[in-house]
Amino acid sequence: MFISKIIFGWFEMIEYVFLIPLFPLIGFVILGLFGKFLKKESTIGFIGNSSVFLSFIFSLLIFFELIQHPIEEPHIVSLFPWISTGDLHIDVAYQVDQLSVLFSLIVTGVGFLIHLYSVGYMHKDRSFYRFFAYMNLFIFMMLNLVLASSFLLTFLGWEGVGLCSYLLIGFWYDRKFEGVRIEWTGEAGNKAFIVNRIGDFGFLIAMFLLFVNFQTLNYSQLNQIFANSYSTFYNSGLILAITLLLFLGCTGKSAQIPLAVWLPDAMAGPTPVSALIHAATMVTSGIFLIARNATLFALAPTTLMVVAVIGTFTAFFAATIGITQNDIKKVLAYSTVSQLGFMFAALGVGAFVAGVFHVMTHAFFKGLLFLAAGSVIHGMHEEQNIKRMGGLRNYMPKTYFTFFIATLAIAGIPFFSGFFSKDEILWKVFESGKIWLWLILAISAFFTAFYMFRLLNLVFFGKERFDKHHIHPHESPKIMTIPLQILAFLSAFGGFLGIPYALGAWLGPNSNLIEHWLEPVFADAQKVMLLNAGYSTGIVHQIHIEEYLLMVLSVLIALAGIFLANKFYSEPEWNIPKKLAAGFNSLYRTLLNKYYLDEFYFYVIVDPLLFLSNKILWKFFDSKIIDGIVNGSATVTIKISEVLRRIQTGFVQNYALLMFGGIVAIFIWLLFVI
């Protein structure tokens, strides 16, 4: 705070928000252009890490400034005109408010720890500099996404993180990867890129509709229009179409049904990529987009219902798959999909603060889980099958301890971070009156606790199942374990930033610091929600006995999942799971094969398109019709030429005879036709 006051004496930090994305961009340019000439990994690591660390420091200073001088309206910092044609005028401008600053802190703070971890994890990689160049580019694009003042600049960052995701997932493009019709990591990158294009198409159409109807793409202007025109736009067809199309974009980027198939295969990339892109930042872009346009979505209760239902079923869908997976990173991948479902369920019932709060806590404990998994993989010489692990607690005590804390957090054990955010989501869903959604989410929470402690037991407890002659487990270096310890601290205590009023009433009406911080951002949306009976009304400080009962029930559900996981996977040779798998073989195979969703898409969409393009459009229409017309015209010309060239005999009397015949034909035509 003292440092920030000194700097505030020089200039207002809020006006220099452009420095936050600028530093990673500079890091990308330096490493991209000159990285191959830098021989020392320490130099490359310093450039890549310092650029993100400086962004974090500036984000922190702006955060302090907003604490000292709170703002009720977004502050727009315009850099320069970008597009000016007709009615379309877009500046490269950043919007500074509580939401953008919070996401900037998450992106740069967690991003820096992952960058630091990557120095050890990627040690001696043949493309060390290229990895950090891509990571810096990703941070730059993600910061543009969350700081943008308009849809178009957000879309630039949206597409940018999609590009970086493709580059980083396929970073080891020549490595084998086991997936549905995927053999190489590069193909997994292709899959992520292509699936996301489907959602991005919806985002584009939504922007077109917004501009055509409102002549602007700026968030603040659109928010003002929607907030002041409740009766005009409430649940209208136009608002419904725009919000559903935006949500289609969110389902792609945040891996929700029906576009959830890309995220598990994205585990083909290096583990720091999984932690940064697919746990802490990129996959939460969809939650950010809805939160940024909360007032718009509040005007579309039908869309909110769709968001809540899709999020809830995605949470259940992914959680049930997670209990059967044996790849350590794929278990965490499906866990990510499930937790994103919880976030969307919160947004769908109007609990925008609860959804954003879970984004923050999820960044802590899921980033930690992925990095700890990377530490295990590093110590096990690239082994990822949890059935070939066991007993690693004795070899990797720091990794085990931090992984254990993150597991408690995601399971929702009091008073770790996940307890506060997940319990808040469950309460808000229950309070909205959608009991059946709450029940499905509660079951999903049970499966979450079960598969996470299954993972913990199979990796760190029990007998050692790895080949001791070839694998010698060891703890990771300090540069990898220090980020784990910092994230473990945040996973343990980060939830206290969002203490619900039911538990923190004695602290005053603002015990929930996150809710108080984000209150100006969602003020207009909450006003609309107050007019829309049946949804959470947001900041109304009341204590309900049901909230305490549900809190106790959610803890008991988590403890039940932990108890069963410990019982099932502490038995010799896992007799109980084997019997269950044999007794419910069809169900087990379905879950193991991820509900055959990939196979379904290949059978219904991919294969018919390939057949249409290959067999019909190419081999028949292109080869036979189009090429047939072109080649046929050439063939006809050749045949005619072969006939006509016979006339050229070289004998003068033949030419005279032809001329005479032609003259006779002309006379006949003149006499009888004309």
Side-chain angles (χ1 to χ4, degrees), residues 59 164 208 350-351 402 413:
S59 300
C164 295
F208 294 155
T402 55
I413 300 301

Side-chain angles (χ1 to χ4, degrees), residues 18-30:
F18 67 90
L19 293 174
I20 297 176
L22 180 62
F23 289 123
L25 177 62
I26 293 173
F28 163 70
V29 171
I30 293 174

Side-chain angles (χ1 to χ4, degrees), residues 100-112:
S100 62
V101 171
L102 177 62
F103 270 84
S104 295
L105 286 171
I106 295 172
V107 172
T108 57
V110 177
F112 168 69

Side-chain angles (χ1 to χ4, degrees), residues 589-616:
R589 301 300 303 178
T590 300
L591 296 179
L592 184 64
N593 289 283
K594 299 152 274 191
Y595 290 99
Y596 298 100
L597 191 59
D598 276 296
E599 289 82 354
F600 173 78
Y601 281 155
F602 273 105
Y603 182 77
V604 174
I605 299 174
V606 178
D607 288 342
L609 285 176
L610 288 175
F611 176 80
L612 176 65
S613 59
N614 187 23
K615 300 292 186 181
I616 298 177

Side-chain angles (χ1 to χ4, degrees), residues 23 573 649:
F23 289 123
E573 300 300 326
T649 61

Side-chain angles (χ1 to χ4, degrees), residues 171-202:
F171 185 76
W172 289 325
Y173 55 87
D174 54 351
R175 289 194 180 187
K176 285 282 188 178
F177 179 73
E178 185 178 341
V180 177
R181 301 200 194 181
I182 292 178
E183 297 182 3
W184 304 93
T185 58
E187 293 173 331
N190 287 337
K191 182 178 181 180
F193 192 79
I194 293 169
V195 171
N196 272 275
R197 298 290 72 71
I198 300 171
D200 296 351
F201 177 76

Side-chain angles (χ1 to χ4, degrees), residues 15 24 26 29 32 67 80 92 216 231 282 397 452 456 487 662-663:
E15 297 295 334
I26 293 173
V29 171
I67 289 178
F80 54 86
V92 173
T216 183
S231 58
M282 189 189 94
M452 286 308 304
L456 185 75
L487 286 171
I663 293 170

Side-chain angles (χ1 to χ4, degrees), residues 61-322:
L61 292 176
I62 293 178
F63 170 72
F64 288 148
E65 183 174 346
L66 290 185
I67 289 178
Q68 294 177 356
H69 308 287
I71 57 176
E72 296 299 322
E73 297 292 333
H75 181 78
I76 308 300
V77 178
S78 183
L79 301 183
F80 54 86
W82 182 18
I83 298 174
S84 183
T85 176
D87 295 329
L88 180 61
H89 302 282
I90 301 290
D91 292 345
V92 173
Y94 294 127
Q95 178 168 320
V96 181
D97 62 8
Q98 290 80 356
L99 183 66
S100 62
V101 171
L102 177 62
F103 270 84
S104 295
L105 286 171
I106 295 172
V107 172
T108 57
V110 177
F112 168 69
L113 293 175
I114 295 172
H115 273 69
L116 185 63
Y117 173 96
S118 300
V119 174
Y121 190 88
M122 301 299 292
H123 177 56
K124 293 185 178 179
D125 189 272
R126 66 185 183 185
S127 298
F128 190 82
Y129 81 91
R130 184 165 59 91
F131 178 82
F132 278 94
Y134 291 165
M135 293 280 276
N136 276 186
L137 179 62
F138 171 82
I139 294 291
F140 165 72
M141 289 297 182
M142 190 68 202
L143 289 170
N144 271 284
L145 192 158
V146 301
L147 289 169
S149 66
S150 67
F151 272 98
L152 198 58
L153 189 56
T154 290
F155 189 72
L156 174 67
W158 190 276
E159 292 299 293
V161 295
L163 170 64
C164 295
S165 175
Y166 165 77
L167 295 172
L168 287 166
I169 293 170
F171 185 76
W172 289 325
Y173 55 87
D174 54 351
R175 289 194 180 187
K176 285 282 188 178
F177 179 73
E178 185 178 341
V180 177
R181 301 200 194 181
I182 292 178
E183 297 182 3
W184 304 93
T185 58
E187 293 173 331
N190 287 337
K191 182 178 181 180
F193 192 79
I194 293 169
V195 171
N196 272 275
R197 298 290 72 71
I198 300 171
D200 296 351
F201 177 76
F203 194 159
L204 270 174
I205 301 301
M207 283 199 299
F208 294 155
L209 290 174
L210 283 167
F211 180 73
V212 167
N213 289 278
F214 304 106
Q215 288 74 52
T216 183
L217 291 175
N218 292 323
Y219 289 128
S220 57
Q221 294 176 9
L222 287 169
N223 187 75
Q224 188 174 8
I225 292 172
F226 297 137
N228 296 332
S229 306
Y230 171 83
S231 58
T232 303
F233 298 114
Y234 179 75
N235 214 23
S236 65
L238 174 63
I239 298 299
L240 180 63
I242 292 172
T243 50
L244 284 175
L245 287 166
L246 286 175
F247 181 56
L248 176 61
C250 296
T251 59
K253 198 66 72 181
S254 296
Q256 298 295 286
I257 294 173
L259 302 178
V261 293
W262 68 269
L263 186 60
D265 288 330
M267 297 303 106
T271 303
V273 173
S274 305
L276 179 64
I277 296 181
H278 309 117
T281 53
M282 189 189 94
V283 291
T284 60
S285 300
I287 288 86
F288 170 82
L289 185 64
I290 294 179
R292 171 56 75 205
N293 298 280
T295 307
L296 171 61
F297 277 84
L299 289 170
T302 303
T303 300
L304 286 181
M305 186 63 185
V306 172
V307 172
V309 171
I310 292 294
T312 299
F313 279 97
T314 301
F316 179 82
F317 161 82
T320 52
I321 294 174

